Amino acid sequence: MQHILCGLAANPALSSALVDRLIAIADDDIATGLARRADLGRAQAVALAERIGASAVRLAYEGRLTAADVDPSVRPDAALALLDQGAGRPEWARLLAVDPVRERREKLAACPGLPSDVVDTLAADPDVRVVAELALWTTPDVAARLAAHPHAEVRRAVAGNEAAPPAVLAALVTGEGLPAARRCLICDHEETPFVHEPQYPRLDCELPPGASCDGSHESAVHDVREAALRNPATPVEAVVGFVDHPSMLLRRALAARQDLPRQACARLALDPAPGVRADLADNPATGEALIRALAGDRDPEVRRRLAHHLRVPLDVLTHLARSPRIGAALLPRIAASSPAEVEELAESPDPAARMLVAQRRDLPPGIRDRLADDPDAKVVKALAPHPGLTEGQLRAMVDRHGVRVLARVATNPDAPPALLEDLVRHEPTVQKVFREVARHRGATASALLVCLTDERARPVAAGHPALPPPVVAELLADADWQVVEAAAANPSLPPAVMSDLVHQR
């Protein structure tokens, strides 16, 4: 019964009166579905928040609750949600700044526009996690003040704050002009010197493997530098010297920056660590010369990341498309191609080039139709979901290429009902076809009944509004809870059945 009620809570056809009834009997799971309803009224939202306090946070974030609806002493988490959106009241922040629950003070520290006295209170909080959260999101002047905090965790948070003054960020990298940190997360909990075993971490310890402190807080200093190197506000002259640093993590942080001089990028392109080269490969600032050099990289992840670069030359991209692990999604460079480039790719003798452009869904009709007749199954498979293809073209694809294109044809938004019915009865069968047809807006009752015979497609088909109402009602007794919940959420479920189910509780 619980899964039925959860499904009903999400059913768009549920009447307002039945929504009220569900609110009155809701538990946490039912309340989750109710809080997501697009038609939930303000009075219903207030009633749901009073019934299930945890739902108040979601309702506040979705704009269903306002400051007038929330008492911070009763619903502090909802008050925090409103403060996080800038819709709360200043007096709430003063109340929550001294809340005994550390997580609430930490959440408050990330909220925008806090009164200055609240900021001062949080900056002096006895829990370093609260101060660090403030340091990560606060204004430039407060960030500058917290950069000299005695705890390295606060300094690491300042190093990641893009609003921190560049000079402060540079000082965090070099350590010049700042007093040495006196504490870190390691020496807060362990006798120093201490090294967290890299291979066999203790189950009772939250420190990362390999973390160490000999009194100089070396791991914490490393983490501060890494955060600063990843921060685009940190001056490049303060970080460029790390290009040959022994730490791969610092070199990776450097490889992701978009302001490095060419010489530094060239050094990183030769880095022995594949992760460094991969980060450089999808850096938007990486130029054509390095892109061409990285195209021959031995590591498949480097080549995959390079294929997703917005400015990769088309000839390089065509070469990369022949590599495994590139993926079947539309690549950014192809999406940005000019009409002339689209024409060039579509006419290429290389099937890899034609396959790349076939992933677009805005092709001119002439190019679309030409690719629909392509002799290469990979090209046709990429094109099959393109809108505007006729039933005859889609059937021709299936006739020529069979199971290789079947599932993709089933995803075409213009696939007519008769074709979908034929696809689910195709021999040999392709299991993925059942799932695609089950979620297709044009699927008929006949096709959906076939989809119900497939274990993985059954929960999807159970929620399709074209399924006959008596069948939907029967599925409420299914052994699979996912099928039950989907059927209960199906708008084709008869209203009388909905009413009976809600009032049975």
Side-chain angles (χ1 to χ4, degrees):
M1 191 64 183
Q2 179 69 10
H3 295 302
I4 290 176
L5 294 177
C6 287
L8 287 172
N11 194 314
L14 197 69
S15 69
S16 181
L18 291 181
V19 169
D20 290 338
R21 172 63 181 165
L22 275 184
I23 290 172
I25 62 173
D27 60 12
D28 287 348
D29 293 332
I30 297 170
T32 298
L34 290 169
R36 293 172 177 159
R37 293 187 64 89
D39 61 350
L40 197 70
R42 182 186 174 195
Q44 290 174 321
V46 171
L48 182 59
E50 290 176 354
R51 167 77 183 180
I52 303 295
S55 67
V57 174
R58 174 182 290 276
L59 292 166
Y61 272 117
E62 294 186 355
R64 306 297 182 83
L65 296 178
T66 67
D69 303 319
V70 174
D71 181 346
S73 63
V74 178
R75 299 279 180 258
D77 294 325
L80 278 169
L82 290 174
L83 284 168
D84 190 33
Q85 299 175 91
R89 294 172 176 168
E91 59 268 25
W92 294 359
R94 296 185 178 94
L95 176 68
L96 292 164
V98 292
D99 192 288
V101 178
R102 184 264 305 172
E103 288 82 2
R104 290 188 184 130
R105 304 196 309 275
E106 193 173 358
K107 174 74 174 176
L108 177 67
C111 292
L114 295 174
S116 58
D117 59 313
V118 172
V119 172
D120 291 340
T121 299
L122 294 171
D125 196 279
D127 194 306
V128 70
R129 290 169 291 187
V130 175
V131 186
E133 191 68 16
L134 177 70
L136 183 60
W137 303 104
T138 194
T139 55
D141 56 332
V142 178
R145 172 160 46 109
L146 292 177
H149 195 278
H151 202 288
E153 188 66 9
V154 176
R155 298 185 183 205
R156 185 197 62 76
V158 173
N161 187 338
E162 294 187 18
V168 169
L169 295 170
L172 288 168
V173 173
T174 64
E176 297 175 3
L178 292 175
R182 297 199 296 270
R183 303 294 298 174
C184 71
L185 292 178
I186 298 173
C187 59
D188 278 349
H189 301 96
E190 305 288 346
E191 290 288 335
T192 57
F194 174 82
V195 177
H196 195 312
E197 177 59 49
Q199 301 300 324
Y200 303 100
R202 287 174 12 199
L203 297 178
D204 62 340
C205 184
E206 296 181 357
L207 297 172
S212 64
C213 179
D214 60 5
S216 65
H217 321 296
E218 60 271 22
S219 284
V221 170
H222 176 280
D223 292 346
V224 170
R225 285 177 170 169
E226 183 181 357
L229 263 63
R230 293 192 181 280
N231 191 333
T234 304
V236 65
E237 56 270 18
V239 303
V240 71
F242 288 84
V243 68
D244 292 318
H245 196 277
S247 168
M248 180 193 70
L249 293 177
L250 295 187
R251 300 197 310 276
R252 289 195 69 168
L254 204 59
R257 292 186 63 101
Q258 299 184 32
D259 57 355
L260 292 181
R262 283 185 297 177
Q263 299 90 331
C265 291
R267 297 268 286 279
L268 293 170
L270 300 174
D271 197 282
V276 175
R277 304 195 306 275
D279 286 344
L280 187 67
D282 65 4
N283 187 326
T286 299
E288 182 175 339
L290 277 184
I291 288 175
R292 291 188 178 278
L294 290 168
D297 197 282
R298 63 186 180 277
D299 188 83
E301 179 62 12
V302 175
R303 299 194 300 272
R304 187 192 71 80
R305 303 267 289 272
L306 195 66
H308 287 77
H309 197 287
L310 179 60
R311 295 191 294 117
V312 58
L314 288 181
D315 64 308
V316 174
L317 184 53
T318 301
H319 168 74
L320 292 169
R322 304 188 192 104
S323 303
R325 295 181 56 186
I326 297 302
L330 176 64
L331 298 175
R333 177 65 179 88
I334 299 300
S337 296
S338 68
E341 289 172 329
V342 168
E343 180 71 35
E344 176 187 344
L345 288 165
E347 291 184 345
S348 172
D350 189 342
R354 303 196 304 274
M355 179 184 67
L356 287 173
V357 76
Q359 295 286 357
R360 286 183 62 141
R361 298 294 172 256
D362 59 350
L363 294 173
I367 293 178
R368 178 200 64 205
D369 295 344
R370 190 189 322 153
L371 293 174
D373 293 329
D374 199 280
D376 192 290
K378 295 189 294 295
V379 177
V380 175
K381 182 179 178 180
L383 183 81
H386 198 294
L389 291 168
T390 66
E391 179 176 1
Q393 288 173 313
L394 294 172
R395 287 188 180 277
M397 291 177 178
V398 174
D399 291 341
R400 288 197 310 273
H401 303 290
V403 296
R404 291 175 292 180
V405 302
L406 218 62
R408 296 284 281 176
V409 168
T411 68
N412 190 291
D414 298 324
L419 174 59
L420 297 176
E421 292 180 5
D422 290 344
L423 292 178
V424 297
R425 294 180 174 87
H426 188 277
E427 294 292 344
T429 60
V430 175
Q431 299 303 118
K432 191 176 180 181
V433 168
F434 297 121
R435 299 194 298 277
E436 298 298 350
V437 172
R439 63 173 60 98
H440 198 288
R441 64 187 180 189
T444 62
S446 176
L448 292 169
L449 290 173
V450 179
C451 294
L452 285 173
T453 64
D454 181 79
E455 182 180 359
R456 295 181 66 184
R458 190 173 176 85
V460 183
H464 199 292
L467 205 60
V471 176
V472 179
E474 289 175 8
L475 291 173
L476 296 173
D478 198 87
D480 186 337
W481 70 267
Q482 296 177 88
V483 174
V484 172
E485 199 161 304
N490 192 323
S492 292
L493 188 66
V497 176
M498 295 186 199
S499 181
D500 288 345
L501 291 169
V502 172
H503 287 95
Q504 283 176 20
R505 178 66 181 265

